[in-house]
Amino acid sequence: PRREIDGDNRLDVSGRDALRPFAGRRVIMGVRPEDLDDASLVGRRSGGTISAVVDIREDLGSEILVHFGVGAPAVRGEDVQAALGEEALEATSDSARQKGSLFTARVSRESRAEEGEPIELAVERKRLHFFEIETGSAI
């Protein structure tokens, strides 16, 4: 089945049997930056694509980091606060409220991603991570 990230993005999570008991329930989805790439360069991956607008583009030479938001509720638990620190959460809170959840993609240096412009990001389905909202436990 395809699962909704926000009103516009859906990802294919078929074959993830551990998610079956959570059908119809909300869960936390995580994806590492290296498991997203510019779809115009790599084509569609097994999980589909995420449509977004580039907020920040960081050119690191060998790769580019693309920061973007999707219209899904932001995750701000105690573990996130401990990892980032209170100051970092406060600095991003305005942006997080406007965008929802903030993500980072590590894309090829050939990407033409530009700040303020739309981008399609290919997702590697097998590399998605899911967690229970109530406990934060991995699914």
Side-chain angles (χ1 to χ4, degrees):
R2 297 179 71 76
R3 295 290 182 244
E4 185 173 316
I5 296 176
D6 63 23
D8 297 322
N9 289 298
R10 288 178 169 72
L11 296 176
D12 181 354
V13 294
S14 58
R16 302 292 296 259
D17 293 338
L19 289 174
R20 288 181 198 258
F22 296 90
R25 295 172 46 197
R26 294 181 60 197
V27 297
I28 298 169
M29 184 199 80
V31 60
R32 290 188 174 98
E34 61 270 19
D35 295 325
L36 299 167
D37 208 339
D38 187 330
S40 70
L41 298 174
V42 299
R44 295 182 73 85
R45 289 191 176 166
S46 63
T49 61
I50 295 174
S51 299
V53 174
V54 177
D55 291 321
I56 300 170
R57 178 187 192 272
E58 290 184 77
D59 191 339
L60 303 177
S62 62
E63 61 195 16
I64 297 169
L65 296 182
V66 172
H67 302 268
F68 62 97
V70 296
V75 178
R76 292 291 183 254
E78 290 179 21
D79 53 342
V80 174
Q81 184 174 331
L84 295 178
E86 185 70 31
E87 189 174 298
L89 282 178
E90 287 178 16
T92 61
S93 63
D94 288 341
S95 179
R97 273 195 293 272
Q98 291 174 5
K99 290 283 189 176
S101 290
L102 303 176
F103 287 86
T104 302
R106 184 185 299 168
V107 301
S108 170
R109 65 180 171 199
E110 286 83 23
S111 175
R112 297 194 185 276
E114 293 293 336
E115 291 179 3
E117 296 295 322
I119 188 169
E120 289 288 315
L121 294 160
V123 180
E124 185 57 56
R125 173 182 60 205
K126 294 177 183 176
R127 306 295 297 175
L128 294 173
H129 304 275
F130 297 94
F131 305 90
E132 291 184 57
I133 289 178
E134 297 81 16
T135 65
S137 298
I139 298 174

